Amino acid sequence: MEGENITLWETLIYSHHACNGWKQSVEGSIYHLANIFFILGYMGGSGLVGLLYINLFLCCGFLCTSIWAWTDVCAADIFSWNFALVAISTVQIIHVAYQLRSVTFQEDLQNLYGALFQPLGIPLTIYKRIVTCCNVVSLEKDHCYAMEGKTPIERLSLLLSGRIRVTVDGEFLHYIYPYQFLDSPEWDSLRPSEDGIFQVTLTAETGCRFAAWRRKKLYLLFAQHRRISRLFSVLIGKDIADKLHSLNDKVCISNGFRYDIRLPSFYHLAVSVGELSERNPRQLKIMNVTPHNPWTFSFLSVNTSAGTLDYGFSDGMDPLSNKTESCDNWKEFHHLVFHVANLCFAVGLLIPTTVKVHMILLRGMISIGCALFIVWAVLYRCALDIMIWNCVFLTLNMMHFLYLLYKRRPIKIDKELKVLYRRMFEPLHVPPDLFQRLTGQFCSVMTLKKDQTYAAEDKTSVDDRFSVLLKGKMKVSYRGHFLHNIYPTAFIDSPEFRSTQMNKGEKFQVTIVAEDNCKFLCWSRERLTFFLETEPFLHEVFKYLIGKDITNKLYSLNDPTLSDKTAKKFERQPSLCSQLSMMKVRNSMASTSDTEDGLSHFLHGSSTASSIQRSPYTRTSGKMRSIEETIEDDVFEPPSPVVHLAPDWS
């Protein structure tokens, strides 16, 4: 046995002599056809589709090389290696095709994915988890989804088709259109441990279909999949902001501009008595200019298969000859370099696709294999055509290898922008290079000293810039009355960006002043708008981040200390949803009243979070325990090591 091993070792290494010159003949046509397949395969890209493309062509190339080895070269080792590589490539094709299999949904859910989730880059596998725990329900015309003061809040629903009318006390508020949540204010106004009752009536104006998630199942899904929790946080936040904007859009000031969404209860300060007398009662109700409801101020205080080029060599065949013969005698084994090269191809093809750097490793192993084939062809086979083909293969694979390394290079993000990226953009899977492009052009980091003004009401244009605070704290006020604070990683002028148009001469309706020395990232609004139009994914991300930011600002109007970092030093107070809900914010925009007591109460500074009474429409649930809450929104928090769940959740 030992003698046989020595003989094999000598055969692989010592029995092959170095070349003295090139062979005069070239390989047969089947061999060159195989190399054409290899060329096409090596030109494939990255990702699962690129990997499927590569493996298909490499499989064809290995198959042709196997036929060539069996019929022309009579080399058992060449045939064996290529046949094995055909088998490996076939397995990879099946595996990748399974990963790319079409995940089909019923038509309504498929359209929902294309309209809402696909633009945010949500994979079908994640979307499947979301829709698995929902039911699609039909609602006939004039039937009620919820009745004011009667229907319990037990689910979260998203309209798929039709139109829903929202009313309170018989007064129309707004419509709900497809791909909008039906009850996002109700969902956002309750803790997981609380029960509540609808304060509005939702009626189908047409035949409707909606997707409904039970509260318990959805909270459990959030606990299991943090990405889904973050996704729903921004979706719901933007949806609430859109609903409030639809209410705010009903009223325009005399110059045709709309009021800042934070100022619904200050309308009377901007309109003369004469103007008010000219408005009909219905307009006064919508404007809510004479608040009497104690909640009115709430809105203010609210890869790839590598082809082993298996090279056997012809025995005096005519160039590109189609002539094939059956082998009578198999040739001896080729040099060890040949086998190591094929081993590199096999290792590259066997790397699991789940490895993040799978394509880099595959291209690297193929490049090593091609380099070894070049050495073998030059030193031991004396075959010029084989050397040339492998030089081409090596060039292609090295180009892809270097490109992939360049794409995975560590992206250097400025130190002062790292927190912004980690808290706002990374949770939505914005790549670092795309964030760098966003912050590396047409924007700059600016400073503002204490007590300096960022924007003055009725003076500063909304056209010039759009900013996000990096450091410090800013105060927002209207006519000298404090509204809320702005903290780091929050947009400074998101309400203006969302509700105003450029080049219309619109001005800020609030004053924003630095309470500390501040640093903020400032974009040119016009250039940012054009840039987002060329980046659809980033455009969608910005829409949802801005919507979520506006909703957070409305909450901080209800409780100005909600986002204050110093609040963490004190005992945890009841959450905002147990003091004043977004349902009240929405309803206050259409409330009818006869006196100015509510507004005066607020202007004199007596309206604080501690004085707000608990809503009678919410109560603690005995069936569910609380999920531990943090002061800041979950979507911007790093992963928590512990999630508290009730043991009886199902």
Side-chain angles (χ1 to χ4, degrees):
M1 186 69 178
E2 184 178 349
E4 292 178 359
N5 290 336
I6 294 174
T7 302
L8 177 61
W9 186 256
E10 289 178 347
T11 301
L12 291 175
I13 299 179
Y14 303 113
S15 63
H16 299 275
H17 302 288
C19 295
N20 295 321
W22 297 110
K23 294 167 62 175
Q24 298 302 313
S25 60
V26 296
E27 306 303 332
S29 57
I30 297 179
Y31 171 77
H32 294 284
L33 176 63
N35 286 296
I36 291 173
F37 282 124
F38 290 139
I39 285 284
L40 294 174
Y42 294 145
M43 293 174 68
S46 302
L48 290 177
V49 176
L51 186 60
L52 182 63
Y53 171 89
I54 291 171
N55 278 282
L56 281 171
F57 279 102
L58 292 186
C59 185
C60 294
F62 293 138
L63 183 60
C64 290
T65 308
S66 298
I67 296 173
W68 169 73
W70 183 275
T71 59
D72 292 355
V73 185
C74 302
D77 51 354
I78 295 178
F79 172 80
S80 300
W81 272 116
N82 281 274
F83 190 80
L85 292 171
V86 168
I88 295 173
S89 297
T90 302
V91 171
Q92 281 282 35
I93 290 170
I94 296 172
H95 175 62
V96 175
Y98 176 77
Q99 290 180 288
L100 287 172
R101 72 194 186 280
S102 177
V103 181
T104 58
F105 306 96
Q106 54 180 289
E107 185 179 359
D108 288 336
L109 296 178
Q110 192 68 43
N111 293 337
L112 172 63
Y113 175 74
L116 200 61
F117 293 90
Q118 190 176 30
L120 285 172
I122 304 302
L124 279 172
T125 51
I126 298 293
Y127 180 66
K128 184 177 181 180
R129 292 174 182 171
I130 294 173
V131 300
T132 298
C133 61
C134 81
N135 297 316
V136 177
V137 184
S138 297
L139 191 66
E140 296 182 9
K141 182 179 179 181
D142 296 328
H143 283 210
C144 289
Y145 171 83
M147 296 186 67
E148 181 179 350
K150 295 182 179 180
T151 306
I153 302 169
E154 296 177 338
R155 56 187 175 182
L156 176 68
S157 302
L158 194 148
L159 190 61
L160 301 175
S161 62
R163 187 173 70 177
I164 300 284
R165 182 177 69 254
V166 183
T167 58
V168 58
D169 294 329
E171 183 177 358
F172 172 75
L173 287 180
H174 61 85
Y175 285 116
I176 298 175
Y177 297 98
Y179 312 127
Q180 293 181 341
F181 288 99
L182 275 70
D183 37 17
S184 52
E186 286 74 17
W187 171 273
D188 213 40
S189 298
L190 294 179
R191 286 180 175 183
S193 58
E194 291 179 338
D195 291 334
I197 299 175
F198 277 85
Q199 300 177 32
V200 293
T201 298
L202 284 74
T203 308
E205 283 218 330
T206 63
C208 299
R209 286 172 61 82
F210 59 90
W213 292 267
R214 306 294 295 184
R215 286 184 70 202
K216 288 184 180 180
K217 287 187 177 180
L218 199 52
Y219 278 125
L220 184 59
L221 183 67
F222 291 168
Q224 294 172 341
H225 303 285
R226 190 167 185 82
R227 183 178 182 182
I228 297 177
S229 174
R230 291 167 168 170
L231 172 66
F232 268 77
S233 179
V234 294
L235 289 177
I236 291 171
K238 178 182 180 295
D239 188 79
I240 291 172
D242 289 342
K243 284 178 169 58
L244 298 180
H245 273 289
S246 68
L247 292 172
N248 194 50
D249 288 348
K250 295 177 181 179
V251 182
C252 296
I253 52 182
S254 56
N255 58 6
F257 298 149
R258 294 181 176 87
Y259 277 97
D260 188 302
I261 193 171
R262 293 167 287 195
L263 309 177
S265 299
F266 281 106
Y267 292 164
H268 74 293
L269 297 178
V271 205
S272 66
V273 177
E275 269 187 285
L276 290 178
S277 63
E278 294 174 3
R279 300 184 184 272
N280 59 43
R282 175 66 177 173
Q283 289 175 309
L284 295 179
K285 288 181 181 180
I286 295 175
M287 289 177 62
N288 194 23
V289 296
T290 55
H292 142 237
N293 187 337
W295 294 102
T296 301
F297 83 178
S298 68
F299 190 58
L300 291 167
S301 38
V302 94
N303 218 350
T304 166
S305 226
T308 128
L309 298 143
D310 293 50
Y311 308 103
F313 297 85
S314 63
D315 252 6
M317 290 186 64
D318 293 334
L320 303 179
S321 170
N322 289 322
K323 180 181 178 182
T324 59
E325 300 176 352
S326 297
C327 294
D328 295 326
N329 296 307
W330 293 97
K331 291 186 177 181
E332 62 184 11
F333 288 157
H334 291 87
H335 194 276
L336 180 64
V337 174
F338 167 82
H339 297 283
V340 174
N342 280 287
L343 182 62
C344 289
F345 279 95
V347 170
L349 290 172
L350 287 171
I351 296 173
T353 57
T354 53
V355 178
K356 289 185 178 180
V357 292
H358 164 264
M359 189 62 72
I360 294 178
L361 295 177
L362 175 59
R363 293 288 185 176
M365 295 306 296
I366 292 177
S367 297
I368 294 172
C370 291
L372 291 174
F373 273 126
I374 292 172
V375 172
W376 179 59
V378 172
L379 296 181
Y380 302 107
R381 297 309 301 178
C382 315
L384 182 61
D385 53 347
I386 293 178
M387 185 202 73
I388 293 174
W389 275 117
N390 279 276
C391 285
V392 175
F393 301 155
L394 179 62
T395 301
L396 283 174
N397 282 286
M398 282 302 299
M399 289 173 62
H400 279 276
F401 178 74
L402 294 175
Y403 172 72
L404 292 172
L405 283 180
Y406 174 78
K407 284 185 64 178
R408 291 193 64 87
R409 74 194 187 282
I411 303 296
K412 185 178 180 181
I413 298 176
D414 291 343
K415 184 177 180 180
E416 52 197 4
L417 300 180
K418 283 183 179 179
V419 175
L420 175 67
Y421 174 70
R422 189 178 69 250
R423 291 171 65 86
M424 292 184 69
F425 293 91
E426 189 178 35
L428 294 177
H429 291 246
V430 176
D433 56 334
L434 186 56
F435 177 75
Q436 189 181 55
R437 288 179 57 200
L438 173 68
T439 58
Q441 51 185 326
F442 54 83
C443 73
S444 57
V445 176
M446 305 181 70
T447 58
L448 203 63
K449 293 184 179 179
K450 184 177 180 179
D451 296 329
Q452 286 187 331
T453 300
Y454 174 85
E457 58 190 83
D458 299 328
K459 294 181 180 179
T460 307
S461 173
V462 300
D463 297 341
D464 299 333
R465 56 188 176 180
F466 179 60
S467 308
V468 59
L469 189 61
L470 301 176
K471 182 181 179 182
K473 183 171 74 172
M474 291 185 173
K475 179 179 69 176
V476 182
S477 61
Y478 176 73
R479 303 287 175 89
H481 301 290
F482 173 76
L483 295 180
H484 64 87
N485 288 320
I486 299 175
Y487 295 91
T489 68
F491 291 110
I492 298 175
D493 37 16
S494 53
E496 288 76 16
F497 189 85
R498 165 66 175 78
S499 59
T500 63
Q501 298 180 358
M502 290 188 298
N503 304 319
K504 297 291 186 180
E506 297 189 59
K507 308 292 184 182
F508 276 84
Q509 298 178 33
V510 295
T511 297
I512 305 176
V513 179
E515 282 210 327
D516 300 323
N517 292 331
C518 295
K519 186 177 291 187
F520 59 93
L521 183 66
C522 181
W523 289 276
S524 162
R525 180 173 176 177
E526 183 177 15
R527 297 186 66 182
L528 175 63
T529 301
F530 289 148
F531 175 75
L532 294 179
E533 288 176 354
T534 64
E535 295 288 346
F537 170 66
L538 201 56
H539 184 260
E540 289 296 316
V541 168
F542 254 78
K543 282 199 312 184
Y544 287 97
L545 286 177
I546 289 171
K548 180 64 177 174
D549 185 78
I550 292 173
T551 301
N552 289 341
K553 283 179 169 55
L554 297 179
Y555 274 128
S556 63
L557 287 171
N558 291 305
D559 184 357
T561 66
L562 181 66
S563 298
D564 199 330
K565 306 301 179 182
T566 60
K568 293 184 178 180
K569 301 178 183 178
F570 301 102
E571 183 180 357
R572 174 70 176 174
Q573 298 297 320
S575 70
L576 174 64
C577 62
S578 66
Q579 301 169 11
L580 182 62
S581 68
M582 189 54 69
M583 296 184 287
K584 291 291 186 181
V585 175
R586 174 191 58 195
N587 295 358
S588 70
M589 297 186 70
S591 63
T592 59
S593 46
D594 300 319
T595 69
E596 296 181 350
D597 294 342
L599 179 60
S600 300
H601 192 58
F602 170 75
L603 294 180
H604 285 85
S606 58
S607 298
T608 63
S610 60
S611 66
I612 300 172
Q613 299 298 317
R614 183 180 178 85
S615 170
Y617 291 95
T618 61
R619 66 179 186 275
T620 302
S621 172
K623 300 178 182 178
M624 299 176 63
R625 283 195 207 160
S626 314
I627 293 179
E628 184 177 349
E629 296 180 318
T630 55
I631 289 179
E632 295 181 2
D633 197 284
D634 176 69
V635 72
F636 301 129
E637 285 294 324
S640 173
V642 179
V643 177
H644 300 281
L645 294 176
D648 59 339
W649 278 22
S650 57

